[in-house]
Amino acid sequence: MSDISDWYSRVPFFTKWWLTLTMVFSLAGRLGLVKAYQMMLLYSPLISNFEVWRPITAVFFYPINQATGFHFLVNCYFLYNYSIRLEKGEFDGRPADYCYMLIINWLTCTLMALAIGMPLLMDCMVLSVLYVWCQCNKETIVTFWFGTTFKAMYLPWVLFVFNFIIVGGGISELIGILSGHIYYFLKFTYPQENGTQSFLTTPYFLFNLFPNRRIAGGFGVPPPRSAAATGEQPSSGRHNWGRGRVLGGEVD
């Protein structure tokens, strides 16, 4: 138990709470402690009955059953793996900025999900965070299932195609990719190409809630260099689903 406690205490704040609440809400729905219907993003109850918690619970709740259990675990893996990489990498020492990125992605995912009637946000939120990491580390080589390797910039699209073929889905992945692209474009791409300030300035109240320990390089500057650019070897782990590799490094 001490090993689990030590591991849990080292997980950064937002990744820890995102993963924890995902487990709590999903297990609560599985055990029947809370009705799944009450936690889904549904337009009529949200607007007509003012059930304002639904856009939040729809992020953390995922219906667990024999058909979806494996997909839920894979989602939790990607959530943990790529959220922690961003929070301890590109956003290290800047929790307010990371929180603002999550808020922007959540808002865009929620609006698009409401527009098409999609009741769950876990898939698209995880893909939005993964997409941002992949854009910040485009040249990093990642290893996917069955030993396939490719640049990180292609990983979101590989996941989209994989889910489209295996489970016949893909809409959630597309929404996540679009949401992450909107953030990255407004935060980095457009300011860099036009020499302007970023459209996404972190609000001051978030700095009061989550004080930054490190000052960002300014608006419109490139994101921190990837592992491929710095020559740092990414940490290895037991799993290798989408694990980052340094360009030109050895592949297991």
Side-chain angles (χ1 to χ4, degrees):
M1 291 298 294
S2 61
D3 292 339
I4 296 177
S5 177
D6 291 341
W7 163 79
Y8 188 74
S9 65
R10 291 194 298 269
V11 178
F13 180 82
F14 291 104
T15 303
K16 177 189 296 183
W17 279 105
W18 188 359
L19 184 61
T20 300
L21 291 174
T22 296
M23 299 299 296
V24 168
F25 278 90
S26 299
L27 289 176
R30 180 69 177 90
L31 298 174
L33 301 178
V34 183
K35 292 182 179 180
Y37 172 83
Q38 294 294 326
M39 295 184 283
M40 294 181 178
L41 179 63
L42 301 172
Y43 183 85
S44 181
L46 173 64
I47 303 301
S48 301
N49 301 336
F50 204 61
E51 296 178 358
V52 295
W53 65 83
R54 289 181 179 272
I56 299 174
T57 56
V59 174
F60 304 120
F61 169 70
Y62 194 85
I64 304 175
N65 53 49
Q66 291 182 345
T68 64
F70 179 73
H71 185 74
F72 171 75
L73 292 177
V74 171
N75 264 347
C76 288
Y77 167 78
F78 281 120
L79 185 165
Y80 172 80
N81 193 36
Y82 289 96
S83 178
I84 203 171
R85 285 173 182 232
L86 278 180
E87 196 169 355
K88 296 179 69 174
E90 283 75 12
F91 290 90
D92 181 40
R94 298 190 288 126
D97 295 325
Y98 186 64
C99 180
Y100 191 50
M101 185 208 73
L102 292 177
I103 291 174
I104 295 299
N105 289 2
W106 168 69
L107 287 174
T108 53
C109 284
T110 298
L111 292 175
M112 287 184 280
L114 284 172
I116 67 172
M118 188 176 71
L120 302 172
L121 298 179
M122 182 180 185
D123 283 340
C124 57
M125 276 297 296
V126 171
L127 257 293
S128 72
V129 170
L130 181 146
Y131 181 90
V132 173
W133 181 86
C134 289
Q135 289 300 303
C136 291
N137 300 271
K138 293 181 179 180
E139 300 301 317
T140 300
I141 296 298
V142 297
T143 304
F144 197 58
W145 289 341
F146 314 118
T148 55
T149 58
F150 41 82
K151 292 182 179 181
M153 68 176 75
Y154 303 120
L155 179 58
W157 299 105
V158 170
L159 291 173
F160 162 70
V161 172
F162 184 84
N163 283 317
F164 179 78
I165 294 175
I166 299 299
V167 299
I171 297 300
S172 296
E173 287 74 18
L174 283 179
I175 289 178
I177 290 171
L178 180 57
S179 175
H181 181 75
I182 289 173
Y183 172 83
Y184 192 85
F185 177 82
L186 295 178
K187 182 65 178 179
F188 297 115
T189 305
Y190 186 85
Q192 290 173 14
E193 292 180 351
N194 296 275
T196 62
Q197 290 188 338
S198 170
F199 288 106
L200 301 179
T201 304
T202 304
Y204 284 111
F205 79 90
L206 288 178
F207 290 114
N208 293 330
L209 290 173
F210 311 107
N212 280 356
R213 302 184 306 277
R214 181 168 64 89
I215 299 176
F219 301 118
V221 298
R225 291 181 296 170
S226 65
T230 61
E232 297 177 357
Q233 180 70 27
S235 60
S236 60
R238 181 178 178 181
H239 302 285
N240 65 351
W241 301 334
R243 183 177 62 195
R245 297 279 187 178
V246 176
L247 184 63
E250 295 182 356
V251 178
D252 294 337

